[in-house]
Amino acid sequence: MNPITLILKELGHRKVNAVFSLLAVAIAVGGSIIFHTAFAGSLQRTKRIQRDMGQNLRIVSKDTDLAHFWDEGFSKTTFPENWVQSFTNINDTINYSHLSAVLKWKVQWRGSPAMIYGLAPREVAPPGRKKPIMITPVKNGTVLIGNALAEIHGVKRDETVTVEGGEFKVGRVLSEKGSGAEIRIYMHLADAQAVLGREGQINEIQALDCYCADETQDTLALLREQLGPILPGAQVFRMQDMAEAREKQRRDIERTFSTLMPAVVILCGVIVGVLAFVNTRARRQEIGILRALGKGSASVAALFLGKALLLGVVGAVCGFALGTGLLFGWGNEVLQISPKLISWDFNNLKWALLLAPVFAALASFIPAMLAVTQDPADTLRHDG
Amino acid sequence: MIACKQVTKRFGAVTALAPFDLEVASGEFIAIKGASGSGKTTLLLTLGGMLRPSDGTVSFDGEDLYAQPPATRAAFRANEMGFVFQMFHLVPYLGVEENVRLAAHNGAMTQRPRELLEQFGLGHRLTHTPGELSAGERQRVALARALVNEPRLILADEPTGNLDPENDRQVFKHLSEFHRAGGTVIVVTHGSTADEFADRIVNLETDL
């Protein structure tokens, strides 16, 4: 008799066991999909927060007057703009990413101190670290004005203003930041270089340290060690508070999900295993008679592992529907996952169909082996 | 055909089967009798290659059964033997015909399961599950299952222990038909119906 028929008939006969086993596999699959998506959502939110916080590394010339730099917020020593390109010609893996060339200079604007902030329109990515752009580029001929500065001078959007002799359209007045950004005038790097008479020059490279170092490593020492061979004439500072907050947030999220998800999967695996064990106990006589009929170990194992594989396949489909359905229903509202991340992602189904049968078979492995090694005579001797 | 020499089975400190000798020729109908706990079932399972004796040997056609690997013994059971048990041991979720086909070689292709069931008066019960049958019907299904591969030997353990006299007699009649067709039967029983059909009666207690 075809083993599949036998498995299907047995599933139909012991419905409660089958339904609970299926539920356990479906919960494991659905839970994994929910956790995976929630994790992606959390990472996305974290990245967004971090992006709003800005880059946390400042690379300036070695000749910078640091007292002036920390007091005024910019370096008076400039260096060629193309220094930033040095990060693209390296072979080693480095911890720098989102590199952008900046020229910033403190000026008096309409009688108030203001910081001209020239931003390169593109970020530079070291090999293998190409990521979505973090900075907000500013169009040529436009400026973005800090909130306090705009308030003081009554500047509105779309107005034309003069900055250091150059005329610019106000693209936007920034929202209140409660930081140095209140008196900044953001513009395209080329515009800043032109109005400040420093063509081809910058005085800072801003970057983000990648989240690669472990907690025990001295990240700043590592960053300085890596910078030496790339830009011997530069030095790097790390905005420690910002960097540590970022690292902590990221690690907390990873720790939470890396604990929760395996816990749910393991729990479901244990349930599947226990149910398989209960099933094996209930089928002792059946196994005994199969043995008496001359069915070998492989045939008996095939019945139990085949059942697990079948439950895995059906559980994968149910779990995919359950997990994705729950995400559609409550993912955004309860887990605050961006709706863009919630979809019928058939990649998830593909992985579920590959992994869930293996998961169910592994969970049922010990009970299946118990069934195989069960002494048929022991059951049949205690007839009835 | 089948012989056991000084076969003993112990479970820990308990001796389930004291040293026992038996030789059964091809085509014989043997009834083994004995009180409860005398080791009848143990002996039958030992003869069937399912329970390795603690001491002694079991040979089939001159070959030591337990010198063979488990897979060979399983194949031997599938090809040469049919088992019938007191509690029928039918698979509860399969229909009558499916229970018989479960044992059949190339079961899906042959008509033999159905022919046997019709011969045993179960033609109208083919799709019924064991739970829907009477005890006598269940034992006839078990008997059909034991015969489906045309074995040379039937080992029956108290096959009528749960049956009324009429069914008791009917089961023995079917065993007797198999025997008359050249088959060998070893039946463990404590009833008296076997006396009428068996060529030889072996008492497990007195013949030790």
Side-chain angles (χ1 to χ4, degrees), chain A residues 72-383:
Chain A
E72 293 289 330
F74 76 102
S75 167
K76 284 192 288 184
T77 311
T78 59
F79 51 88
E81 183 185 338
N82 61 12
W83 275 24
V84 74
Q85 297 301 329
S86 311
F87 287 90
T88 59
N89 307 319
I90 47 165
N91 296 320
D92 296 332
T93 306
I94 57 166
N95 289 31
Y96 293 83
S97 61
H98 294 287
L99 293 131
S100 57
V102 174
L103 177 64
K104 52 185 189 180
W105 212 271
K106 201 171 230 181
V107 295
Q108 286 291 315
W109 187 67
R110 295 183 179 179
S112 303
M115 181 75 85
I116 291 178
Y117 215 103
L119 278 173
R122 272 185 293 276
E123 288 179 358
V124 167
R129 292 219 175 281
K130 193 123 184 87
K131 291 178 177 179
I133 188 168
M134 243 177 94
I135 56 162
T136 311
V138 187
K139 283 184 193 161
N140 274 105
T142 64
V143 288
L144 311 180
I145 303 228
N147 190 274
L149 208 55
E151 284 270 313
I152 293 164
H153 299 289
V155 178
K156 298 273 183 294
R157 187 182 181 142
D158 294 335
E159 238 177 68
T160 301
V161 293
T162 305
V163 181
E164 293 294 295
E167 285 208 340
F168 297 92
K169 187 180 171 189
V170 178
R172 186 156 50 101
V173 171
L174 300 173
S175 59
E176 199 172 322
K177 302 283 184 194
S179 69
E182 294 291 322
I183 57 157
R184 283 180 197 157
I185 303 171
Y186 289 94
M187 60 177 73
H188 191 285
L189 178 62
D191 288 341
Q193 288 167 334
V195 297
L196 294 168
R198 286 180 168 80
E199 278 83 0
Q201 294 287 300
I202 56 173
N203 57 2
E204 198 172 296
I205 297 170
Q206 297 190 347
L208 194 68
D209 60 332
C210 85
Y211 177 67
C212 324
D214 68 44
E215 282 168 292
T216 57
Q217 254 177 331
D218 181 347
T219 313
L220 185 56
L222 185 69
L223 288 163
R224 285 179 172 157
E225 191 184 307
Q226 289 174 350
L227 182 69
I230 302 168
L231 282 178
Q235 57 186 323
V236 62
F237 298 100
R238 189 172 185 242
M239 312 287 110
Q240 295 290 57
D241 289 350
M242 192 194 286
E244 279 163 15
R246 171 176 177 264
E247 268 185 21
K248 188 177 177 306
Q249 161 102 357
R250 183 90 173 240
R251 283 192 206 284
D252 282 353
I253 286 170
E254 283 186 359
R255 206 165 282 149
T256 305
F257 284 100
S258 65
T259 312
L260 263 180
M261 198 163 110
V264 169
V265 171
I266 288 170
L267 179 69
C268 292
V270 169
I271 293 170
V272 172
V274 168
L275 289 166
F277 181 72
V278 169
N279 186 249
T280 308
R281 296 287 303 172
R283 296 172 73 184
R284 276 166 60 87
Q285 290 200 347
E286 187 188 326
I287 297 162
I289 198 64
L290 286 172
R291 282 310 185 74
L293 294 174
K295 306 289 179 196
S297 302
S299 304
V300 176
L303 283 185
F304 284 85
L305 292 178
K307 177 180 170 180
L309 289 174
L310 186 67
L311 283 172
V313 170
V314 180
V317 177
C318 295
F320 171 70
L322 178 76
T324 313
L326 286 173
L327 280 173
F328 269 110
W330 291 284
N332 181 240
E333 198 178 312
V334 178
L335 299 171
Q336 294 174 327
I337 302 169
S338 161
K340 282 182 188 166
L341 289 175
I342 302 172
S343 66
W344 291 100
D345 183 353
F346 287 98
N347 248 341
N348 284 340
L349 179 62
K350 184 181 80 185
W351 281 108
L353 284 171
L354 276 173
L355 297 178
V358 177
F359 162 76
L362 283 176
S364 307
F365 185 75
I366 294 174
M369 288 307 106
L370 285 175
V372 167
T373 54
Q374 180 186 302
D375 183 357
D378 189 45
T379 318
L380 300 172
R381 213 161 49 84
H382 301 108
D383 210 22

Side-chain angles (χ1 to χ4, degrees), chain B residues 73-178:
Chain B
R73 290 208 304 274
F76 161 78
R77 280 197 299 275
N79 296 321
E80 307 284 354
M81 291 184 182
F83 282 90
V84 184
F85 299 94
Q86 180 180 0
M87 296 303 293
F88 328 121
H89 289 317
L90 299 173
V91 179
Y93 51 85
L94 295 180
V96 163
E97 188 178 358
E98 289 168 328
N99 259 288
V100 179
R101 282 198 187 280
L102 183 65
H105 305 324
N106 304 319
M109 289 179 275
T110 177
Q111 283 300 304
R112 183 160 166 80
R114 190 168 286 207
E115 285 167 6
L116 270 172
L117 289 166
E118 278 166 6
Q119 187 187 323
F120 288 176
L122 293 163
H124 62 298
R125 296 286 212 184
L126 296 179
T127 57
H128 289 220
T129 56
E132 297 167 325
L133 304 180
S134 69
E137 285 172 324
R138 281 186 228 176
Q139 195 57 297
R140 278 182 275 152
V141 177
L143 204 53
R145 183 179 65 188
L147 293 170
V148 73
N149 291 322
E150 299 179 322
R152 290 167 62 199
L153 172 67
I154 290 280
L155 295 170
D157 183 13
E158 301 275 12
T160 59
N162 280 331
L163 304 184
D164 56 49
E166 192 187 326
N167 278 304
D168 175 9
R169 214 172 158 69
Q170 206 173 3
V171 166
F172 272 101
K173 269 175 130 176
H174 288 307
L175 287 173
S176 177
E177 278 165 23
F178 169 73

